[in-house]
Amino acid sequence: MDDDDGLHYAQYHSSKESTYLAAIRQLISSDLSEPYSIYVYRYFLYQWGDLCFLALDRQGQMLGVVISKLEPHRGGPLRGYIAMLAVKKEHRGKGIATKLVRMAIDIMIERDADEIALETEVTNTAAMKLYERLGFLRSKRLHRYYLNGNSAFRFVLFIKESAFTSRLGYDVNNEEEPADRLELQEELQPELPPSA
């Protein structure tokens, strides 16, 4: 899929591992604070490569990547997870990260995700603003979550009402639930912005 700026967005495919894996590792290792081994990348790409997307320039150079997965969470909701997102510094602010995340969200919704979660460092205000613009809510603070000692916020995007209400600990269809809980649910339920 091409956009107006001459960028090409592509779904990762295992047949292109020799072309893309080294570029993905280089981009993510230069952008994120966590040092991931080759096995971490393969864990995601081998099982959920079709949930991972790349942004490439006209010459085929990688400018951005999102790596995701989708599986049942602790026997409960079908949870999408955005594990890694990186865009080259000189190409930030052009909507590349938004487009990549939106593509990952869209395919997870197509595959019946109940919710989508991720973590980001508490110091990464640009990422937090991006996720909040896309409808994610801060779920919890994870102290000293990263190897560098930084804390993280977990963000969750509730796709289905059942995933959201299960977090509140009640059944929305039960008419005897307190009205203030129903009001809270309506207030916090994000509107999912349309695809860009």
Side-chain angles (χ1 to χ4, degrees), residues 59-149:
Q59 292 75 38
Q61 295 296 309
M62 190 171 304
L63 305 181
V65 61
V66 64
I67 296 179
S68 309
K69 71 175 186 172
L70 180 64
E71 63 183 357
H73 179 67
R74 297 181 182 170
L78 186 59
R79 176 182 273 186
Y81 181 71
I82 297 175
M84 300 171 220
L85 171 67
V87 175
K88 282 189 175 180
K89 285 183 178 152
E90 59 271 23
H91 294 281
R92 292 182 187 161
K94 300 177 181 178
I96 295 170
T98 300
K99 178 77 171 177
L100 289 168
V101 172
R102 185 75 245 179
M103 292 171 78
I105 289 170
D106 288 348
I107 197 165
M108 288 188 261
I109 289 171
E110 285 175 22
R111 296 193 181 166
D112 210 27
D114 295 303
E115 64 186 25
I116 300 169
L118 61 94
E119 293 86 27
T120 191
E121 289 190 43
V122 297
T123 57
N124 193 344
T125 55
M128 289 189 286
K129 287 178 183 178
L130 163 71
Y131 296 126
E132 288 170 343
R133 268 194 328 269
L134 291 172
F136 285 83
L137 302 172
R138 288 184 197 185
S139 170
K140 72 168 68 167
R141 186 181 180 115
L142 305 164
H143 294 282
R144 300 184 57 81
Y145 182 77
Y146 293 104
L147 291 176
N148 65 5

Side-chain angles (χ1 to χ4, degrees), residues 42-62:
R42 287 182 173 151
Y43 166 77
F44 286 99
L45 296 173
Y46 284 4
Q47 296 182 76
W48 301 283
D50 56 337
L51 300 178
C52 304
F53 296 91
L54 317 168
L56 308 164
D57 67 12
R58 288 186 178 112
Q59 292 75 38
Q61 295 296 309
M62 190 171 304

Side-chain angles (χ1 to χ4, degrees), residues 4 15 24-25 29 33-34 52 59-60 62 65 70 84 97 109 122 131 134-135 156 158 162 168 174 181:
D4 296 336
S15 66
I24 290 170
R25 289 185 71 196
S29 65
S33 61
E34 289 292 281
C52 304
Q59 292 75 38
M62 190 171 304
V65 61
L70 180 64
M84 300 171 220
I109 289 171
V122 297
Y131 296 126
L134 291 172
V156 179
F158 296 102
S162 60
L168 295 176
N174 182 348
R181 282 194 180 180

